[in-house]
Amino acid sequence: MGELTITKHVEYIKSLDKRKDLETALTEHLRMSGAYWGLTSMDLMGHLSEMDKEAIMVWLFKCQHDSGGFSGNVDHDPHILYTLSAVQILALYDELDAIDKEKVAAYISGLQQEDGSFAGDEWGEVDTRFSYCAICCLSLLKRLDKINIRKAVEYIASCKNFDGGFGCNPGGESHAGQIFCCVGALAIAGALDLVDKDLLGWWLCERQVPSGGLNGRPEKLPDVCYSWWVLSSLVMIDRVHWINKDKLKQFILDCQDKEHGGISDRPEDAVDVFHTYFGVAGLSLLEYEGLRPIDPAYALPVDVVDRIFYS
């Protein structure tokens, strides 16, 4: 089957902050999420201590706005996506007490709409991704009481389709990424009873293609990122045994750049930190030896989640 070249991936992630290429310039607006992907990968591989925590914290707080929300980088607008990434990074470093939790919670609760959905920012785009961000973030801050959780859950349930999947809004096409967001939010909210686990499990396991990889929708190519979106959802609904886990492991390992580190979407493609994280996270869910276990709902190492809620 081959092995995960952890040393190479660690060096690849450590090199990202020093790069000044076109890819870095084009993605500088979502650096907060990139930092979350890279740091969580490092933690899962047991190498988080090799990152410059002090510099990361200084930069992270420069991204917080008076509203309480965080932006993707310094001098960008706040958004719920990057607010969650920032809170997850703080959770990794056990630094959640360093922020004004009430202020962050007020920013998030202010984005809830009358129907229970959430906008991503002040400009008003609504998407079930943002419902997940809100519920996950407020749960980590222990501030779920700041929103109308009943209406939030009802809105997510209204996005369920005839095939058992979920879309970005009511009537939206089922997509594996949205399914993770909806199932993860319902799991955190204690409302997984609203999921048709057998029907959804069937739809999700049908995402596995002959190569062993997973796609996000019917007739699409496999992509390493769905090793997280699909797999985590299957774990949360207890249907992960419906796919061939060994073939999926092999697909992820085949997407490695064994010489320079990093993981790509498909074999022989260019690597990036997004797919590196989801490849490592997917292997963690598959209980790959040498990786720390990850929580399928919070997308953080299990011991980080346990420290927040049980210590």
Side-chain angles (χ1 to χ4, degrees):
M1 178 175 287
E3 63 178 299
L4 184 68
T5 55
I6 288 179
T7 302
K8 294 291 186 180
H9 299 321
V10 166
E11 292 305 313
Y12 165 71
I13 292 170
K14 289 167 67 175
S15 75
L16 292 175
D17 196 45
K18 303 179 180 66
R19 291 172 55 181
K20 303 298 179 184
D21 56 9
L22 179 61
E23 179 186 353
T24 303
L26 290 174
T27 59
E28 64 99 19
H29 64 288
L30 48 77
R31 190 181 180 202
M32 187 67 73
S33 291
Y36 157 70
W37 298 326
L39 293 170
T40 308
S41 298
M42 292 291 278
D43 204 5
L44 292 173
M45 294 186 290
H47 290 266
L48 181 61
S49 62
E50 297 179 30
M51 304 300 283
D52 188 341
K53 175 183 174 180
E54 183 177 353
I56 292 166
M57 289 295 106
V58 169
W59 166 77
L60 183 144
F61 284 111
K62 287 181 179 179
C63 296
Q64 189 173 27
H65 292 249
D66 291 340
S67 63
F70 288 81
S71 55
N73 208 339
V74 180
D75 296 328
H76 287 255
D77 292 336
H79 196 284
I80 199 168
L81 288 169
Y82 307 123
T83 301
L84 173 59
S85 293
V87 167
Q88 289 171 314
I89 291 170
L90 291 165
L92 285 173
Y93 279 121
D94 196 15
E95 293 287 354
L96 284 174
D97 289 338
I99 55 172
D100 184 336
K101 297 177 182 177
E102 292 295 332
K103 190 173 185 179
V104 178
Y107 169 74
I108 295 171
S109 63
L111 294 171
Q112 188 170 30
Q113 309 299 298
E114 183 61 32
D115 61 1
S117 65
F118 284 85
D121 58 17
E122 62 179 306
W123 307 112
E125 179 190 7
V126 169
D127 190 307
T128 46
R129 289 179 300 155
F130 310 148
S131 295
Y132 169 77
C133 290
I135 290 172
C136 182
C137 194
L138 290 175
S139 179
L140 291 171
L141 297 175
K142 299 181 180 179
R143 297 294 190 279
L144 269 177
D145 61 328
K146 299 300 181 181
I147 60 171
N148 187 326
I149 192 67
R150 178 186 60 80
K151 292 186 76 171
V153 165
E154 288 176 352
Y155 179 78
I156 293 170
S158 75
C159 298
K160 185 166 66 173
N161 292 319
F162 71 94
D163 54 17
F166 293 82
C168 60
N169 44 46
E173 178 188 8
S174 294
H175 185 283
Q178 304 294 153
I179 287 169
F180 160 78
C181 292
C182 293
V183 173
L186 293 175
I188 293 169
L192 276 180
D193 57 300
L194 296 176
V195 177
D196 186 331
K197 296 178 181 178
D198 283 341
L199 184 59
L200 177 58
W202 169 83
W203 191 93
L204 290 168
C205 74
E206 285 291 306
R207 305 280 60 77
Q208 189 162 40
V209 302
S211 67
L214 301 165
N215 61 24
R217 291 176 290 163
E219 304 302 322
K220 296 295 184 178
L221 293 173
D223 188 316
V224 158
C225 70
Y226 297 112
S227 303
W228 171 260
W229 308 120
V230 172
L231 196 62
S232 59
S233 300
L234 285 169
V235 170
M236 286 187 278
I237 63 173
D238 194 26
R239 298 296 186 274
V240 72
H241 55 287
W242 286 8
I243 63 166
N244 188 319
K245 292 189 280 187
D246 286 338
K247 289 191 71 173
L248 178 55
K249 283 182 187 177
Q250 187 62 63
F251 176 79
I252 298 171
L253 294 172
D254 287 344
C255 293
Q256 297 180 100
D257 182 334
K258 295 183 179 180
E259 183 177 355
H260 301 105
I263 299 174
S264 60
D265 57 348
R266 285 177 284 278
E268 308 302 326
D269 283 356
V271 305
D272 57 63
V273 68
F274 174 84
H275 290 95
T276 300
Y277 164 65
F278 288 114
V280 171
L283 288 172
S284 174
L285 283 178
L286 292 166
E287 301 178 321
Y288 188 90
E289 185 177 356
L291 295 179
R292 302 172 66 224
I294 190 169
D295 186 284
Y298 290 97
L300 288 167
V302 167
D303 69 325
V304 171
V305 176
D306 288 346
R307 183 174 65 215
I308 293 170
F309 295 110
Y310 304 115
S311 64

